[in-house]
Amino acid sequence: TLVPPAMAYSYKCLLVSDIGDGVFHVQLNRPKKMNAINLEIWDEIGDVFSKLDIDSNCRAVILSGNGRAFSTGIDVESLTSALSGIEEEDVARKARQLLRLINKMALPFTLIEKCCKPVIAAMHAYCLGIALDITTACDIRYCTKETEFAVKEVALGVASDVGVLNRLPKIVGNHSWMREAAMTGRHFRAPEALEQGLVSKVCDSYDQLMAAAKETARTIATSSPVAVQGTKIVLNYARDHSVDESLRYVALWNMSQLQTNDIGESAVAVMTKGPKPNYSKL
């Protein structure tokens, strides 16, 4: 089996660490700016999740913020700089440049969603605006009890175009609540986020948050990577397709994946009530 060489995870605005047992920890790392998202961290998010997707040493990822908050949202100065770089006067040409910029800015968060390794967002203090766009691309969302959220883009005079309006309706069943939150830009706290299904766990402290995220990540990482990664891929497909379409997709997927040795190893462990096997890297 060909194993890719060790990945290089050196960034200016992210801290990336292998914390063991197949779990990697990615931290937004602009603590003096409350992890406001600038263009550099934007690009680095895309790069790190592209690498984690193919890193056989990684089986689950925790995404959190270093310092006092997960993230207070977009760095407005950085956004202004990006928009000011478009100097075309012709409306058609200016629009095409804006289209390319919007697509480029949406891609890094889509790469979180497309990363075949499960990603757990661990949020504390603030998760505002574009930070919420990021976490809606994650698989599992935990937060601390004081965390504040907001779909903040309306305050900047724009409809969000990098994910939250596209993914939030797939996450939250109450569309009246979701539309109210998106159209008012109001802040809401952890209990409301839990009630509406945006998060699945609320912790009393940052330490408890990280302990819970690590426990879940390590539990995921001890299971067959063939099964876990297949589950994420099939769930993402099922979310966006009919039941009949997704049943056909999982059948085509599993006609190769059912041939894995992981099934036999898992069956032996279940029948003997023994420990989980030490599954091969994928």
Side-chain angles (χ1 to χ4, degrees):
T1 302
L2 293 176
V3 178
M7 297 289 174
Y9 294 108
S10 178
Y11 298 101
K12 181 178 178 182
C13 299
L14 296 177
L15 289 175
V16 183
S17 53
D18 178 350
I19 62 175
D21 301 319
V23 179
F24 278 62
H25 188 188
V26 177
Q27 292 176 280
L28 307 178
N29 188 38
R30 298 186 74 210
K32 292 182 180 179
K33 297 288 187 179
M34 300 281 277
N35 295 323
I37 307 298
N38 63 0
L39 294 180
E40 192 162 17
I41 198 171
W42 218 309
D43 289 340
E44 290 180 354
I45 287 170
D47 186 80
V48 73
F49 281 97
S50 294
K51 289 177 177 175
L52 290 168
D53 180 52
I54 60 172
D55 190 338
S56 63
N57 293 309
C58 174
R59 297 193 180 187
V61 184
I62 298 168
L63 177 62
S64 71
N66 183 31
R68 293 177 292 159
F70 178 78
S71 173
T72 51
I74 197 164
D75 185 319
V76 177
E77 183 178 340
S78 185
L79 177 62
T80 303
S81 174
L83 293 175
S84 66
I86 298 176
E87 298 177 349
E88 288 282 356
E89 293 184 5
D90 181 83
V91 172
R93 287 169 175 80
K94 186 172 185 177
R96 293 290 290 275
Q97 285 197 19
L98 276 168
L99 176 63
R100 287 192 286 269
L101 176 63
I102 292 165
N103 287 338
K104 179 183 177 182
M105 295 175 85
L107 179 61
F109 307 156
T110 297
L111 290 172
I112 298 174
E113 184 176 72
K114 290 186 178 296
C115 176
C116 63
K117 317 301 170 61
V119 182
I120 302 167
M123 300 162 281
H124 72 291
Y126 295 104
C127 180
L128 307 178
I130 203 163
L132 192 56
D133 290 75
I134 292 171
T135 60
T136 57
C138 298
D139 299 285
I140 298 167
R141 285 167 293 278
Y142 294 167
C143 70
T144 56
K145 63 183 180 181
E146 84 284 355
T147 307
E148 288 188 29
F149 302 85
V151 183
K152 204 70 175 173
E153 284 82 357
V154 290
L156 298 176
V158 65
S160 175
D161 51 18
V162 292
V164 70
L165 298 183
N166 316 91
R167 296 185 175 100
L168 199 57
K170 310 280 190 176
I171 295 168
V172 175
N174 186 337
H175 278 229
S176 174
W177 176 87
M178 180 269 299
R179 288 168 185 257
E180 178 229 317
M183 292 174 182
T184 63
R186 69 174 178 84
H187 287 218
F188 57 94
R189 291 183 178 271
E192 191 173 354
L194 180 65
E195 179 185 7
Q196 299 299 337
L198 177 60
V199 300
S200 56
K201 189 184 292 288
V202 175
C203 301
D204 288 336
S205 68
Y206 177 80
D207 288 344
Q208 288 184 16
L209 170 71
M210 295 313 301
K214 289 174 183 177
E215 180 182 5
T216 299
R218 287 181 171 134
T219 299
I220 291 170
T222 61
S223 296
S224 160
V226 173
V228 168
Q229 293 174 34
T231 295
K232 174 170 180 174
I233 290 165
V234 171
L235 282 172
N236 282 352
Y237 187 91
R239 177 196 60 196
D240 300 327
H241 294 80
S242 71
V243 173
D244 283 345
E245 288 170 328
S246 57
L247 280 170
R248 176 168 174 75
Y249 182 84
V250 73
L252 292 171
W253 178 268
N254 267 351
M255 72 182 186
S256 64
Q257 301 302 289
L258 284 172
Q259 300 178 63
T260 178
N261 292 332
D262 292 9
I263 293 176
E265 294 174 12
S266 299
V268 170
V270 170
M271 289 186 293
T272 62
K273 298 183 180 180
K276 285 186 177 180
N278 184 18
Y279 296 104
S280 298
K281 292 180 179 179
L282 178 61

